[in-house]
């Protein structure tokens, strides 16, 4: 229920922002167009946010024949957690990480990167996948995917505002002064909201809860602790390969560890608890 309320609040916020920007750019007509667009966006965000995220990372669905160990671990853990079998995806990047998405357990997906498969042993991978299934069980995945999609839309609005400021707004050169003012104000206000919405919507406590539930599902808290230790190091020291998919600020909160190390904005609006504290709690179990 709490996640549904947060989802409703996020969608209402998106509607309000789009209407305000529409009114600023096009007056009453712009506001009406923006409202219609917001309704379409709300529908698409609720029903298709998971597919949007998976497509963003060019995730490929796999079967037991493609990745027998990965698929077998997910299958075993879902039975133990009394969950429906989710779809299993692979993201082609050397960055070691994983995430889960889907609007509910009946429409869930678990994604692992090729980097994490080469870094972790079977027990550690089991701990990570149990953590992701805990997010599915706790119904964190809908709010995560919705927040990611909305953050992406807001970032897009901020970019539009920036270009509007540079080129004098919709009205062209004759309206350059007011266009610049509106563009710069919109950029200054809207750009930080993308990170702030994620920070407000995604509680760091959900990671601790998923760690604890994942440890219970896998029955190996030490394996998840070891995995987090490797992933914390691996996420900052992996060697990027040509063709690797890059993580974005709007979706960083979905991964098991923060994939954007050293990024000032993400440090200001941290969506993950400190990994050392997570490891400490798991090893005390």
């Amino acid at each position: 229920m709490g996640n549904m309320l947060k989802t409703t609040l996020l969608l209402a916020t998106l509607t309000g922002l789009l209407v305000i920007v529409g009114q600023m750019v096009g007056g009453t007509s712009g506001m009406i167009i923006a409202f219609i667009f917001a309704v379409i966006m709300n529908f698409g965000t609720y029903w298709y946010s998971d597919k949007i995220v998976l497509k963003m990372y060019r995730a490929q669905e796999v079967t037991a024949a493609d990745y027998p160990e990965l698929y077998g671990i997910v299958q075993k853990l879902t039975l133990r957690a009394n969950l429906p079998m989710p779809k299993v995806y692979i993201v082609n990047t050397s960055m070691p990480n994983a995430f889960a998405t889907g609007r509910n357990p009946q429409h869930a997906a678990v994604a692992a990167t090729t980097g994490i498969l080469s870094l972790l042993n079977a027990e550690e991978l089991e701990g990570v996948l149990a953590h992701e299934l805990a997010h599915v069980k706790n119904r964190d995945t809908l709010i995560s995917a919705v927040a990611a999609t909305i953050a992406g839309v807001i970032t897009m609005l901020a970019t539009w505002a920036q270009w509007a400021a540079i080129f004098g707004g919709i009205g062209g050169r004759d309206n350059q002064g007011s266009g610049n003012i509106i563009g710069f104000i919109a950029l200054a206000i809207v750009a930080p909201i993308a990170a702030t919405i994620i920070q407000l919507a995604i509680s760091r406590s959900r990671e601790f809860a998923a760690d604890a539930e994942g440890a219970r599902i896998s029955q190996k808290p030490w394996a998840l602790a070891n995995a987090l230790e490797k992933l914390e190091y691996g996420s900052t020291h992996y060697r990027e390969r040509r063709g690797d998919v890059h993580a974005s600020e709007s979706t960083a909160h979905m991964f098991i560890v923060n994939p954007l190390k050293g990024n000032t904005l993400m440090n200001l609006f941290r969506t993950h608890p400190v990994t050392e504290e997570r490891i400490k709690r798991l090893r005390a179990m």
Side-chain angles (χ1 to χ4, degrees):
M1 183 61 69
N3 279 345
M4 286 303 298
L5 289 173
K6 288 180 182 179
T7 301
T8 302
L9 178 61
L10 282 172
L11 295 176
T13 301
L14 174 63
T15 301
L17 283 170
L18 288 174
V19 169
I20 290 170
V21 172
Q23 196 278 332
M24 289 167 58
V25 173
T28 303
S29 298
M31 184 170 62
I32 294 171
I33 292 171
F35 178 76
I36 294 171
F37 180 68
V39 171
I40 296 171
M41 278 297 305
N42 285 345
F43 178 84
T45 299
Y46 182 84
W47 291 101
Y48 300 109
S49 55
D50 55 335
K51 293 179 177 62
I52 292 170
V53 172
L54 290 166
K55 188 172 182 179
M56 183 187 302
Y57 285 102
R58 302 200 295 271
Q60 299 294 319
E61 186 177 357
V62 297
T63 65
D66 301 318
Y67 286 84
E69 183 180 42
L70 173 65
Y71 198 91
I73 291 173
V74 174
Q75 202 168 37
K76 178 179 70 175
L77 292 173
T78 51
L79 288 172
R80 192 178 294 169
N82 195 28
L83 288 169
M85 180 64 187
K87 292 182 179 179
V88 181
Y89 286 82
I90 287 290
V91 178
N92 185 27
T93 176
S94 53
M95 174 188 69
N97 230 313
F99 66 89
T101 187
R103 65 182 183 270
N104 56 40
Q106 289 72 36
H107 299 87
V110 175
T113 68
T114 50
I116 201 173
L117 297 182
S118 62
L119 179 67
L120 304 184
N121 63 36
E123 284 192 334
E124 292 162 349
L125 183 60
E126 186 176 335
V128 168
L129 294 171
H131 169 98
E132 296 307 329
L133 289 172
H135 280 311
V136 173
K137 189 170 185 177
N138 295 340
R139 297 179 180 265
D140 295 329
T141 51
L142 173 62
I143 187 69
S144 294
V146 167
T149 306
I150 289 177
V153 172
I154 294 172
T155 301
M156 178 183 68
L157 290 176
T159 303
W160 285 355
Q162 184 179 25
W163 284 107
I166 292 172
F167 291 104
I170 301 301
R173 293 291 179 185
D174 294 337
N175 194 32
Q176 185 173 3
S178 60
N180 282 346
I181 292 172
I182 291 173
F184 281 124
I185 290 176
L187 180 62
I189 294 174
V190 171
I193 291 178
T196 305
I197 278 186
I198 296 174
Q199 173 63 17
L200 295 176
I202 310 299
S203 171
R204 298 179 197 180
S205 62
R206 68 189 264 284
E207 292 300 326
F208 287 125
D211 285 343
E213 180 64 19
R216 189 195 67 78
I217 293 171
S218 69
Q219 301 173 359
K220 299 171 184 175
W222 68 88
L224 179 53
N226 292 344
L228 289 174
E229 198 166 49
K230 285 186 178 180
L231 290 172
E232 181 67 17
Y233 180 85
S235 64
T236 56
H237 294 84
Y238 78 94
R239 292 184 178 181
E240 185 177 325
R241 300 174 309 188
R242 187 175 182 180
D244 272 0
V245 178
H246 297 283
S248 68
E249 291 176 353
S250 61
T251 58
H253 63 281
M254 298 183 66
F255 290 87
I256 188 169
V257 295
N258 185 3
L260 299 174
K261 302 298 181 183
N263 184 288
T264 303
L265 183 61
M266 291 308 294
N267 286 337
L268 288 173
F269 299 96
R270 175 181 278 272
T271 56
H272 292 74
V274 177
T275 305
E276 288 78 5
E277 178 61 25
R278 296 171 66 184
I279 293 170
K280 181 181 176 181
R281 292 190 184 195
L282 284 165
R283 287 181 173 160
M285 292 179 68

